[in-house]
């Protein structure tokens, strides 16, 4: 009895100590990040972004996730040489560093003016779709992937008067999450944190005739089994389910990073969604279609996607069975 009580006390103390240590680590990381942000603010925009790019290309290969990125790239591009794979990974680290630094300068970067006679940093392709969606009194779903600076897409939507709520996943670090959320809200309009119940919140927005923006290229545990670059992966079914329930139009949109710290924001033609024999939207087919669109984008600009994400990791019993089968085939 005394022994069990002692074990429970030890577990409780270890949990509290671990939680405090984790919070302290979060605080230290946030302080370091805010110091870097303060230093970058002292530089002109282009100098700051170029510096972040160069630093990340040097530091990235020493980060543990670099090995994940290299393995993913070899699986996605078996025909490419080691030098080509390393070059894409280097571009990826540069892109991710620029994305982080660009949070600081969002107001300065987004200079798009529909009435301007001279090009700025931002160019927009598919203006007619932005205007059409903004003026149509019905729900729409706009999806994208983690390419270029995808954060600029909601800013562009707001420029054209589009009322859109963007679903986003806040960082685990609460101190950084507060900073990023405050930065986003000042320029991007409505934001919805990705959490339990987020799908119901998205449904409520569509129910009222609103528009939602969703990132669709991340692993989703116990999601629908689909493929990406020809390999099995798990994908979130929520967009396909919402499209079926509300029978709303779905548009692909992306950001392409251009030379000299410029960007092209594109919204493509409305997708023709696969249907079941009964005429309703095919959820699995739609989910796979989204993967196919993102794969096309990534193949066009592989260095602008986050290859260090464990996109192809299969969770739960499904993953155990697959790994066991692969071990058997290897033997």
């Amino acid at each position: 009895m005394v022994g069990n009580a002692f074990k429970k006390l030890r577990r409780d103390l270890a949990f509290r100590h671990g939680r405090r240590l984790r919070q302290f680590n979060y605080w230290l990381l946030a302080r370091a990040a805010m110091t870097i942000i303060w230093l970058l603010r002292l530089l002109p925009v282009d100098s700051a972004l170029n510096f972040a790019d160069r630093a990340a290309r040097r530091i990235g290969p020493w980060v543990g996730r670099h090995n994940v990125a290299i393995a993913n790239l070899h699986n996605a591009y078996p025909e490419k040489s080691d030098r080509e794979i390393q070059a894409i990974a280097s571009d990826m680290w540069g892109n991710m560093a620029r994305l982080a630094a660009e949070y600081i300068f969002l107001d300065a970067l987004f200079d798009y003016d529909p009435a301007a006679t001279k090009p700025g940093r931002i160019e927009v392709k598919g203006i007619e779709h932005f205007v059409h969606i903004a003026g149509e009194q019905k729900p729409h779903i706009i999806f994208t992937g983690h390419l270029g600076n995808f954060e600029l897409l909601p800013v562009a939507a707001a420029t054209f008067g589009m009322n859109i709520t963007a679903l986003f996943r806040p960082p685990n670090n609460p101190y950084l999450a507060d900073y990023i959320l405050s930065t986003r809200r000042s320029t991007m309009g409505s934001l919805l944190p990705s959490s339990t119940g987020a799908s119901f919140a998205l449904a409520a927005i569509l129910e009222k005739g609103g528009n939602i923006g969703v990132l669709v290229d991340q692993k989703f545990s116990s999601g629908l089994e689909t493929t990406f670059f020809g390999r099995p992966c798990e994908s979130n079914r929520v967009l396909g389910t919402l499209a079926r329930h509300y029978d709303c139009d779905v548009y692909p949109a992306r950001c392409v990073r251009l030379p000299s710290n410029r960007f092209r924001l594109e919204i493509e033609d409305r997708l023709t969604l696969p249907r079941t024999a009964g005429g309703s939207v095919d959820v699995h087919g739609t989910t796979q279609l989204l993967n196919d669109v993102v794969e096309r984008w990534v193949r066009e600009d592989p260095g602008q996607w986050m290859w260090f994400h464990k996109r192809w990791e299969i969770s739960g019993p499904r993953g155990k069975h697959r790994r066991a089968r692969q071990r058997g085939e290897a033997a």
Side-chain angles (χ1 to χ4, degrees), residues 95-158:
N95 175 69
M96 296 309 299
R98 287 179 180 275
L99 174 62
E102 284 159 0
Y103 276 111
I104 308 169
F105 303 106
L106 275 179
D107 289 337
L109 288 173
F110 194 87
D111 62 354
Y112 179 75
D113 180 359
T117 56
K118 294 182 180 179
R121 289 185 185 272
I122 306 292
E123 62 181 60
V124 179
K125 184 178 180 181
I127 293 174
E128 67 280 7
H129 295 315
F130 277 109
V131 174
H132 174 75
I133 295 170
E136 196 170 30
Q137 300 301 311
K138 57 177 287 189
H140 303 84
I141 297 174
I142 302 171
F143 74 92
T144 189
H146 291 82
L147 290 132
N149 190 332
F150 52 92
E151 305 282 10
L152 292 170
L153 289 166
V155 185

Side-chain angles (χ1 to χ4, degrees), residues 276-312:
T276 65
S280 62
V281 171
D282 182 337
V283 174
H284 189 278
T286 296
T287 306
Q288 182 61 58
L289 177 59
L290 306 183
N291 282 2
D292 294 342
V293 171
V294 175
E295 180 179 331
R296 167 170 59 82
W297 291 340
V298 176
R299 287 188 180 278
E300 292 175 10
D301 298 287
Q304 298 191 26
W305 192 64
M306 51 173 202
W307 289 96
F308 55 77
H309 178 56
K310 296 181 179 180
R311 181 67 179 95
W312 291 273

